[in-house]
Amino acid sequence: MNAHWDWNYVHEILPILGEAALITLQATLLGFALALVIGLVLAVCRMAANPLVRHAAAAVVEFIRSTPLLIQIFFLYYGLPEFGLALDAMLAGLIAIGLHYGAYCAEVYRAGIDNVPRGQWEAAAALNLPPQATFRRIILPQAIPPIVPALGNYLVALFKETPLLSAIGVLELMQTAKILGSESFQYTEPITLVGLYFLVFSLLASALIRLLERRLGVRAAPRS
Amino acid sequence: MPANRTGPTGSSPAAGALAAVAILGFAGGLLVSSFAGFRDFLPELLRGAATTVQVAAGGSLVAVVAALLATTARLYAPLPLRWLAVAYVELFRGTSALVQLFWLFFVLPMLGISLSPMTAGIAALGLNIGAYGSEVMRGAIEAVPRGQWEAASALNLGRFRTLRRIVLPQAFVAMIPPWGNLFIELLKATSLVSLITLSDLAFKAQQLNQTTLRTVEIFGIVLLIYLALSLLVTLAMRALERRAGRRLLRGKEAR
């Protein structure tokens, strides 16, 4: 065991962690793409005319947001095989992350869509556009740009939750760092490096979001 | 850490969703309790839940204290302390809660500081949420109109007294809903401590799952227990908000 910082060891593990970082990035981007789609579906369901659909969507969103992502990951990874649907760890993790952040994104979409003036719907109706086309061609293009920064904040949040995938053995950064640590009994370097990696990327992403905010001329809700 | 939940403030759609969740939870509970033999693992899970509550309560305390210190340092302390506070907030908001937890649990012993899993869990989660909470507090304090400071100074109140008697009570009301969200985030994040061998609800679930292989029932119950705890936090914060709001109003009426 070594209490000091060992640069040789750092050089040795850096390429391994670099590869794992790619998996983390992959999980982040795929998970977020999934969250964006699921979020939109949930948001549309929450505004459906049918009260049953509306309340069911609201309950699903509230339920997902009120329970820990880790348990949801376990539930999907260990539970789905009982229904004859065995997923590999990465896929189960991605679906869990997509669902979890989809529920958060649904609220953001809803805020965006609610903010489009009612007159837009009425004008489209007056021009004889069917509701579906109105939603897709008129409402969404106006609803999305203002919420881009808020969605960006969730991208950063999602990125920071990908280490949870290590709990079901996905070989992303955290899991790799843990394995490296248990092999050499030197936890200091791998875990600190993982922390630095997250810090650098989060700060970069925050700066990017701020830039985007300025470009779009909108302000995100503060990261509370 | 996701944060921008619509606050637990009592807007009517949120109340509707809350009712829907309560109904869903109740139905789910009935469904789950109809599973045969669930009595076998419920006591064990409840013991885990007690640990979860313990970590959440300890973490909340650490979070509030850390947030208070960081906010005070950031707004009113001399420069080096201010930088320290900024560094703390950015460090803990910029990295994963899990990485922080592992760092405290695996790396600190290498530096000669060994923490028990419970202490490491409470410290890591508390410091993590505290960093977010400090931004909430700063926002709430800065949102109190400048005129309040000016009026207080016109009335010859000192800086500290103005802060304590005029600004903080108003900021307090504004920061209750975001803190409610943070406490729920904290409660959910306590599931991470299962990964540093603390036998909380998530840990017990894993353990029971490995021995009984009744995955869906066990994790179903666990999800419902977390949901119930979250609802409790939401309700408590809403009650607190109502009380604090009423007291502020009474002050206005008295004038």
Side-chain angles (χ1 to χ4, degrees):
Chain A
M1 270 203 221
N2 188 350
H4 301 290
W5 186 261
D6 182 354
W7 282 110
N8 289 331
Y9 184 54
V10 170
H11 277 293
E12 196 184 309
I13 61 174
L14 219 45
I16 306 173
L17 287 177
E19 264 169 55
L22 286 183
I23 306 276
T24 291
L25 220 55
Q26 198 186 339
T28 306
L29 294 179
L30 289 177
F32 193 61
L34 202 58
L36 286 180
V37 175
I38 291 174
L40 187 56
V41 172
L42 282 173
V44 170
C45 285
R46 276 200 79 161
M47 292 182 299
N50 185 340
L52 205 68
V53 175
R54 212 164 52 220
H55 288 307
V60 166
V61 167
E62 209 52 38
F63 178 77
I64 291 178
R65 295 199 318 169
S66 299
T67 51
L69 177 57
L70 183 65
I71 309 291
Q72 291 164 6
I73 291 176
F74 284 152
F75 188 83
L76 288 186
Y77 183 57
Y78 297 118
L80 280 186
E82 281 192 18
F83 300 106
L85 191 66
L87 300 173
D88 74 291
M90 180 72 166
L91 195 56
L94 279 180
I95 293 175
I97 287 183
L99 272 174
H100 193 82
Y101 278 89
Y104 281 94
C105 289
E107 296 295 282
V108 177
Y109 278 119
R110 203 161 60 102
I113 294 169
D114 277 346
N115 265 341
V116 177
R118 274 208 62 77
Q120 297 285 326
W121 284 99
E122 286 154 10
L127 291 172
N128 214 11
L129 273 177
Q132 243 186 10
T134 308
F135 185 70
R136 212 159 35 95
R137 308 288 297 272
I138 311 285
I139 303 299
L140 267 193
Q142 297 182 73
I144 302 285
I147 59 171
V148 166
L151 291 176
N153 281 342
Y154 281 123
L155 175 63
V156 180
L158 184 152
F159 167 65
K160 285 185 289 176
E161 298 241 53
T162 52
L164 291 188
L165 294 177
S166 68
I168 52 170
V170 176
L171 280 174
E172 45 67 72
L173 263 179
M174 195 71 238
Q175 180 73 357
T176 311
K178 245 168 47 184
I179 292 173
L180 285 170
S182 63
E183 276 169 358
S184 62
F185 294 105
Q186 281 177 297
Y187 282 101
T188 316
E189 291 87 352
I191 293 183
T192 308
L193 285 175
V194 170
L196 280 178
Y197 172 88
F198 276 101
L199 186 62
V200 168
F201 267 67
S202 299
L203 291 179
L204 276 180
S206 305
L208 258 172
I209 292 170
R210 265 199 296 279
L211 202 75
L212 206 64
E213 268 169 33
R214 218 171 314 136
R215 285 281 301 274
L216 291 168
V218 289
R219 254 191 66 68
R223 283 200 289 155
S224 59
Chain B
M1 182 81 36
N4 304 326
R5 297 167 55 100
T6 35
T9 32
S11 58
S12 65
L18 199 71
V21 168
I23 293 166
L24 186 87
F26 187 67
L30 279 183
L31 188 78
V32 164
S33 60
S34 67
F35 288 138
F38 89 109
R39 281 197 188 81
D40 304 340
F41 36 76
L42 199 58
E44 195 69 3
L45 288 180
L46 287 180
R47 257 198 296 282
T51 311
T52 291
V53 170
Q54 219 175 324
V55 175
S60 305
L61 202 66
V62 173
V64 171
V65 172
L68 205 59
L69 287 178
T71 312
T72 319
R74 196 154 175 185
L75 289 178
Y76 308 111
L79 262 191
L81 273 179
R82 208 180 303 169
W83 287 332
L84 197 69
V86 173
Y88 157 68
V89 170
E90 286 305 317
L91 190 68
F92 277 85
R93 287 202 316 170
T95 57
S96 287
L98 188 61
V99 178
Q100 291 155 21
L101 190 65
F102 277 14
W103 205 87
L104 287 189
F105 190 65
F106 290 113
V107 176
L108 273 191
M110 305 251 164
L111 307 175
I113 308 165
S114 283
L115 300 177
S116 73
M118 182 63 118
T119 321
I122 288 178
L125 298 180
L127 288 175
N128 180 277
I129 296 294
Y132 289 90
S134 143
E135 291 293 271
V136 167
M137 282 188 182
R138 195 167 62 99
I141 290 175
E142 283 176 349
V144 174
R146 275 211 62 76
Q148 297 284 324
W149 282 99
E150 285 154 12
S153 103
L155 291 171
N156 213 11
L157 277 178
R159 220 168 115 78
F160 181 72
R161 247 184 112 184
T162 308
L163 186 67
R164 204 172 67 84
R165 301 297 299 270
I166 311 288
V167 175
L168 281 186
Q170 296 180 60
F172 180 69
V173 177
M175 64 176 95
I176 294 174
W179 266 107
N181 289 341
L182 286 176
F183 286 142
I184 291 176
E185 292 300 334
L186 177 67
L187 176 72
K188 293 194 296 173
T190 56
S191 61
L192 302 186
V193 298
S194 66
L195 302 176
I196 57 166
T197 71
L198 197 61
S199 60
D200 76 325
L201 189 50
F203 186 87
K204 294 275 188 207
Q206 278 255 56
Q207 216 176 23
L208 282 171
N209 180 40
Q210 273 154 20
T211 50
T212 64
L213 291 177
R214 300 181 53 175
T215 313
V216 174
E217 288 101 316
I218 292 170
F219 284 115
I221 296 178
V222 168
L223 282 174
L224 288 177
I225 295 178
Y226 275 113
L227 179 67
L229 291 175
S230 297
L231 281 178
L232 272 181
V233 174
T234 305
L235 291 177
M237 290 309 276
R238 216 177 268 181
L240 182 66
E241 194 189 346
R242 217 171 308 129
R243 270 190 71 154
R246 207 182 312 137
R247 265 170 49 198
L248 205 64
L249 208 65
R250 197 188 299 153
K252 275 191 188 129
E253 278 162 0
R255 245 182 290 149

